[in-house]
Amino acid sequence: MSSETSSQKPRVAVVFGGRSSEHAISVVTAGAVLSAIDREKYDVLPIGITSDGRWALTADAPERMAITDRKLPSVAELAESADGAVVLPVDPTSREVVYSEPGQVPKALGDVDVVFPVLHGPYGEDGTLQGLLELSGVPYVGSGVLASAVGQDKDYMKRVFASFGLPVGPYEVIRPREWEQDPSAARKKIVDFAAEHGWPLFVKPARAGSSMGISKVDDLAGLDEAVEEARRHDPKIIVEALLSGREIECGVLEFEDGPRASVPAEIPPVTAHDFYDFEAKYIDSATGLVPAPLTEEQTARVQELAVQAFEAASCEGLVRADFFLQDNGEFVINEINTLPGFTPISMYPRMWQESGVGYAELVDRLIQAALHRSTGLR
């Protein structure tokens, strides 16, 4: 530790916010994590990344990070300065964080022993932040560069799963140049897919989460609008066939002896929404069933598949795996989330709570695992 820090407790930098469309949900998650970290055991340094990418020193004020009266929080509201910046040195021989403001002498904030990133979506969950931390030699919670990138890109995620023999549903990918250079051909590609698999379709950004930018399209008339909405979040889109059945989720947590699966949860049909979208998840507080009402055999099967998905993508730390239990009794994996939400109503911590790992213990396990994991090739 630097001379700035008298305590010998490990210092945890909680990094949140970010440049993606999931900025506000990341702030909410950070508030929950900051509330749960044992301050007797760890020193905490909250670092928020503004929507334009500035790393800001923020108030350690979880109560200001919640959704209040349907209003979403932001890092800009929490930053101690409108133009001060936190700098993490890209130097594996030093972990000292520096804070600077225009016209002021830079201030050393002390060493950081581990980073707890609670960034969702691009520029945080997708391997970019993980690459920076690898260069800096700072341990961090969660998956490494490859698994984070695979977990963010629904196209390559499904390709990896299929190559490992995991069951995936029908999908089609429209890459940026296809829509930009020949939208008619790209549109025909989607229409041909619909002719084979039927309407409705789900049009999604390929590299976004929290149900951002997703549209359920019932016919050709709504297709262009859905594509443009998805492209507002990501120029690469993925089109998926409707899988009728039940939505089942399962958490995976890495223990000393390897990854284990939680009890699964079920997302019941949301009557006020077309599907389990952003509003249903975060604004209207849709409630999942934990544990899911499954048979012992179904529970064992989805837990097995969740751990297989974790291993297939080379994940570390934690994953939430999302499935459809089809009418024929077979599970299909929809996607994994390498940094699932930790909001008060998020399914991942609820599943582990039901599995005997409370919120504070969950956060502590993730920090301890990161502290004992080296950076670099492993």
Side-chain angles (χ1 to χ4, degrees), residues 121-255:
Y123 313 110
E125 188 181 352
D126 59 351
T128 50
L129 177 66
Q130 291 74 15
L132 172 65
L133 296 172
E134 292 286 352
L135 289 172
S136 302
V138 180
Y140 53 92
V141 168
S143 290
V145 175
L146 174 66
S148 297
V150 168
Q152 188 65 41
D153 190 314
K154 295 177 179 65
D155 174 15
Y156 287 99
M157 181 198 306
K158 291 176 187 292
R159 291 172 186 267
V160 168
F161 290 158
S163 73
F164 277 83
L166 291 165
V168 300
Y171 70 98
E172 187 63 84
V173 175
I174 304 296
R175 299 180 186 280
R177 279 196 299 273
E178 292 181 85
W179 189 259
E180 292 159 7
Q181 295 181 359
D182 194 345
S184 296
R187 193 178 297 110
K188 183 179 184 303
K189 190 175 173 181
I190 299 173
V191 171
D192 290 346
F193 179 81
E196 181 178 357
H197 300 287
W199 300 91
L201 302 175
F202 287 92
V203 179
K204 304 179 177 181
R207 295 162 292 193
S210 292
S211 299
M212 290 285 192
I214 298 178
S215 301
K216 181 182 178 184
V217 183
D218 295 314
D219 51 43
L220 184 59
L223 182 59
D224 280 21
E225 183 181 352
V227 169
E228 291 303 333
E229 170 60 19
R231 281 173 51 82
R232 283 200 315 110
H233 300 269
D234 185 351
K236 178 181 177 182
I237 67 168
I238 188 166
V239 179
E240 296 176 349
L242 173 68
L243 293 175
S244 60
R246 299 160 62 187
E247 291 189 52
I248 307 295
E249 298 184 347
C250 190
V252 180
L253 179 64
E254 194 168 10
F255 287 76

Side-chain angles (χ1 to χ4, degrees), residues 15 32 67 100 120 122 130 137 144 150 172-173 194 196 201 222 235 239 242-243 261 263 303 330 346 374-375:
V15 180
I67 298 174
S100 63
H120 302 308
Q130 291 74 15
V150 168
E172 187 63 84
V173 175
E196 181 178 357
L201 302 175
V239 179
L242 173 68
L243 293 175
V263 300
Q303 288 175 325
E330 296 296 320
S346 293
S374 65
T375 54

Side-chain angles (χ1 to χ4, degrees), residues 64-115:
R64 294 171 54 195
M65 299 181 180
I67 298 174
T68 306
D69 297 328
R70 303 177 75 89
K71 182 179 183 296
L72 299 173
S74 72
V75 168
E77 297 168 348
L78 297 160
E80 294 193 356
S81 165
D83 47 18
V86 173
V87 178
L88 184 70
V90 186
D91 178 359
T93 66
S94 170
R95 294 180 181 175
E96 186 168 75
V97 175
V98 174
Y99 178 70
S100 63
E101 290 190 64
Q104 302 291 324
V105 176
K107 176 184 176 184
L109 299 178
D111 292 356
V112 165
D113 296 290
V114 63
V115 169

Side-chain angles (χ1 to χ4, degrees), residues 264-328:
E266 180 170 4
I267 307 300
V270 185
T271 55
H273 302 264
D274 263 351
F275 58 97
Y276 193 48
D277 62 4
F278 179 86
E279 288 268 326
K281 279 184 181 180
Y282 299 111
I283 303 298
D284 293 340
S285 303
T287 304
L289 304 175
V290 187
L294 300 172
T295 67
E296 287 186 16
E297 292 77 13
Q298 289 171 331
T299 296
R301 176 58 175 159
V302 75
Q303 288 175 325
E304 176 188 29
L305 288 171
V307 171
Q308 287 178 5
F310 183 96
E311 299 281 39
S314 299
C315 296
E316 294 169 290
L318 72 163
V319 150
R320 193 194 72 232
D322 301 346
F323 299 86
F324 290 104
L325 175 54
Q326 299 181 101
D327 297 336
N328 63 6

